Structures are given as structure tokens and as C-alpha cells.
Amino acid sequence: MVSVQNKIVRQWLKAAAAAIPMIAVMAAIFALSHQAGTESAETSSGVAEWIVGLLGMEVPPGMSASDVPIVFGLNIRKLAHVFLYMLLGGTSFLFVAMLPFRTSAFVRPAICAGGAAVISFLYACSDELHQSFVAGRDGKFADVGVDAIGFLTVSILILAVWYLVLLWKHRHSPDISPHAK
């Protein structure tokens, strides 16, 4: 039988391992945010030209490829925010899910989603603050809203899947109480 102390140590090691992908995504966001304005524009423009070409879209005269609305009126730069923060939201969710805290099986997913949202929101705010100190860049709180589209979307999707699995398990194993720990 494994001692309680060993079990707790293993749980914290799992949480530490789950933090690695989250920190890697944060580092990638930091590196991209740390690019000077001209370098960031060049990166966005190159990626945008490739995507616009791939989609067979035309760039209107006088407009940069990175300003062309792709999905829901969002351009490449904004979609990059959404994508990166979807990654951060997912990895943050994983990290919080690995933390050793006790609660009911039906409350835990909501705590994980809330924790992931808080981590992602605070990082998005700190990222915009960071950008305000980078040459040629601006920190805009509106970008935090775009980031939130990413991390909230992925958190809600994971939360929905988790609850569907729990409900399926409960339906097929009635001896499992929704309040089980």
C-alpha cells in the first residue's frame, strides 16, 4: 500500500509535469510579444500572405494581407491571439486538473475551467503590459478580449466534454454518486 505522503508527492510531481507545456506556451507568447513592431509586422505579413494564398483569397488594393478578415471579421494577427490563447487555456486546464485538491467529481471540472480562465486572463493582461514596453508595440486591453475568445472557448469545450463523460459514466454506473470524491 502506498503511503499518503508518497501519493501526495506523486500528485505534485504530476502537477509540475503538467506545468511544463503551459510554461512553454507562455514562453512562446512572450517571445512573440517581445518582437519589435516592425519585426512583428513582418512575421504577421509573411504568415498572412501564406494563409491568404492557401485560402485563395484576394488582398484588396491598399490593404496588407495581415489585415484581411479571415474568420468572424478577425484578421491573421487577431486569429494568432485566439490560437495561442486556446493553447494556453488548454494547457492551463491540464495544469489545474493535475493539482491535488479534493472536491466532488461534478465540481472539479468547473474549478479547473475557472482556474484555467484566471491563469490565462492574468497572463493575457501581463502580456499586454509587457507589449507596452516593447518598441513599436502597444498594450491594448481590447486584445485581452480577443485572447479571452481563445481561452474561454477551449475551457468551455473541455468542460462540456468532461461533464458529458461524467454524465455518461453516471448513467452506466448508477452506484457512482455525483457527489463522490
Side-chain angles (χ1 to χ4, degrees):
M1 184 168 164
V2 178
S3 73
V4 173
Q5 186 176 17
N6 285 345
K7 187 176 179 181
I8 291 171
V9 168
R10 278 200 339 261
Q11 287 176 321
W12 279 107
L13 288 173
K14 284 181 186 178
I20 293 169
M22 179 182 69
I23 292 168
V25 171
M26 289 176 170
I29 292 169
F30 182 87
L32 290 168
S33 294
H34 199 66
Q35 292 179 329
T38 54
E39 184 182 357
S40 176
E42 288 173 12
T43 301
S44 295
S45 182
V47 171
E49 287 174 18
W50 179 76
I51 291 174
V52 166
L54 188 68
L55 297 175
M57 300 174 73
E58 290 190 32
V59 179
M63 182 183 270
S64 166
S66 61
D67 293 327
V68 174
I70 304 292
V71 178
F72 303 119
L74 296 174
N75 62 31
I76 295 298
R77 291 180 75 88
K78 299 304 177 192
L79 287 172
H81 276 255
V82 172
F83 176 74
L84 287 168
Y85 278 88
M86 284 181 85
L87 291 175
L88 182 59
T91 56
S92 297
F93 200 110
L94 174 65
F95 168 70
V96 176
M98 292 295 119
L99 291 174
F101 59 90
R102 292 181 49 85
T103 186
S104 76
F106 278 76
V107 173
R108 186 175 186 86
I111 291 172
C112 293
V118 167
I119 290 168
S120 299
F121 174 76
L122 292 174
Y123 193 78
C125 290
S126 71
D127 182 53
E128 292 305 317
L129 179 65
H130 166 236
Q131 282 185 42
S132 69
F133 294 104
V134 177
R137 300 292 293 269
D138 295 324
K140 299 179 209 147
F141 192 71
D143 281 349
V144 174
V146 175
D147 300 338
I149 293 170
F151 66 76
L152 290 175
T153 298
V154 79
S155 291
I156 290 168
L157 287 172
I158 295 170
L159 183 66
V161 169
W162 195 334
Y163 276 126
L164 286 172
V165 169
L166 283 175
L167 290 172
W168 185 84
K169 282 182 177 180
H170 179 66
R171 257 202 177 137
H172 291 80
S173 300
D175 58 320
I176 297 175
S177 166
H179 304 290
K181 292 191 179 190

